[in-house]
Amino acid sequence: MSTPPRQKRLTPNDITALKGQRPVVSLTAYTTPMARLFDPHCDLLLVGDSLGMVLYGMDTTVGVTVEMMIAHGQAVMRGVTRACVIVDLPFGSYQESKEQAFRTAARIMKETGCDGVKLEGGEEMAETVAFLVSRGVPVFGHVGLMPQQVNTSGGYRSKGHTDTEADKIRRDARAIDEAGAFAMVIEGTVEPLAREITGTVSAATIGIGASPACDGQVLVSDDMLGLFNDFKPRFVKHFAELAEVISRAAEDYATEVRARTFPGPEHTFQIRPKKQD
Ligand code: KIV
């Protein structure tokens, strides 16, 4: 029996195939309405564990749970028809063993319908990446600055400035590439190293603070929309200033409610005139 393909969304293989063809466009997405808005413009939507910081006000991503990722993964899946959707494995849900990683990844894929998972780590995660890929889980890797390791890696500073650090990132990228990752985020990494890695791995490299030399770019959507204004890292560009727009809208609403000019007659229900018999 042959069954027609169920979906026209881009697959992880399609993302890898874009390498050398055209830049891969990616944003984080956490909710259905935002996913609907981003979907026509993006190749890949990442349900990033950055949601802990941008939606829940956490200081780091360390406190994010599998349940949070599933709830937001389901929300994003309801909003897409085109983009490939990848969900982050949160801290503590995969580092213990490759079996733990498979259990978490399988649960997330079954409960959300997403196309694969992202995990942070290089050489130390290569065996896990190979284990997942060989069992049907597409893996998006993440090297360079790894936010889940912020407590042991010296904070959110850019990477690859020393030979030792650059060598480690080089080995990390090669290890997860050889393990079968379809793509990898390179975060907060100096341009020459990001360029070199992009030129040597088969996976598509998706940069965030890693220069235009990467095969594609990703940004945290709330950052690029100017919604998350606590601080603005060097690599972020605001393509809109939505915090100002929202704040002004809330102020106007408050003014009109206090002045009783909202709701107006056009927003108010009146009793319909009775029909004549
Ligand atoms: O969690 C996230 O949003 C990410 C991006 C910064 C790549 O990992």
Side-chain angles (χ1 to χ4, degrees):
M1 189 179 83
S2 74
T3 47
R6 278 180 296 118
Q7 48 143 321
K8 289 196 202 69
R9 288 191 301 102
L10 291 166
T11 66
N13 280 344
D14 293 331
I15 300 298
T16 315
L18 290 175
K19 189 179 177 82
Q21 303 299 312
R22 65 161 176 81
V24 179
V25 180
S26 178
L27 280 173
T28 65
Y30 316 112
T31 64
T32 307
M34 286 297 189
R36 273 197 192 118
L37 291 170
F38 298 153
D39 186 50
H41 310 288
C42 290
D43 303 308
L44 188 154
L45 292 183
L46 172 65
V47 186
D49 61 355
S50 51
L51 62 81
M53 297 167 81
V54 298
L55 297 187
Y56 291 88
M58 295 173 168
D59 286 336
T60 71
T61 57
V62 169
V64 174
T65 64
V66 172
E67 286 68 29
M68 288 160 82
M69 297 312 301
I70 288 174
H72 288 279
Q74 290 170 339
V76 168
M77 286 300 294
R78 287 180 205 116
V80 294
T81 58
R82 179 185 174 276
C84 177
V85 177
I86 301 297
V87 176
D88 254 339
L89 299 186
F91 181 71
S93 73
Y94 66 96
Q95 292 93 340
E96 195 178 320
S97 66
K98 52 191 195 307
E99 289 81 8
Q100 184 208 23
F102 183 78
R103 269 194 303 279
T104 308
R107 181 176 167 208
I108 288 178
M109 288 183 72
K110 279 170 187 281
E111 293 188 29
T112 66
C114 73
D115 303 294
V117 297
K118 180 165 83 56
L119 57 83
E120 295 182 13
E123 291 175 301
E124 75 287 2
M125 292 310 300
E127 198 187 340
T128 296
V129 173
F131 189 82
L132 295 186
V133 173
S134 65
R135 283 157 182 77
V137 179
V139 176
F140 192 10
H142 188 147
V143 300
L145 195 166
M146 292 184 265
Q148 291 181 10
Q149 296 184 18
V150 66
N151 290 318
T152 51
S153 69
Y156 294 101
R157 52 168 198 82
S158 59
K159 306 285 181 195
H161 296 277
T162 65
D163 287 349
T164 315
E165 208 172 60
D167 235 25
K168 171 69 179 130
I169 297 170
R170 201 175 275 122
R171 289 200 311 273
D172 282 346
R174 190 179 319 132
I176 60 168
D177 187 49
E178 284 169 1
F182 73 90
M184 66 182 79
V185 168
I186 304 182
E187 180 164 356
T189 297
V190 296
E191 168 156 21
L193 182 58
R195 183 181 298 280
E196 179 198 318
I197 292 171
T198 299
T200 51
V201 297
S202 332
T205 61
I206 312 296
I208 173 165
S211 89
C214 295
D215 295 310
Q217 299 294 322
V218 62
L219 278 178
V220 170
S221 48
D222 292 49
D223 281 343
M224 78 96 185
L225 293 171
L227 268 170
F228 185 68
N229 277 344
D230 290 7
F231 64 96
K232 182 171 166 294
R234 178 190 170 88
F235 59 84
V236 169
K237 175 173 173 179
H238 285 184
F239 287 84
E241 296 295 348
L242 291 196
E244 281 172 24
V245 173
I246 292 172
S247 172
R248 212 174 310 120
E251 188 183 352
D252 292 349
Y253 168 72
T255 304
E256 293 195 21
V257 169
R258 290 190 183 111
R260 296 193 186 280
T261 52
F262 176 83
E266 70 276 32
H267 309 117
T268 304
F269 298 104
Q270 302 296 348
I271 296 173
R272 289 192 195 100
K274 273 210 182 104
K275 277 192 192 138
Q276 298 299 327
D277 291 332

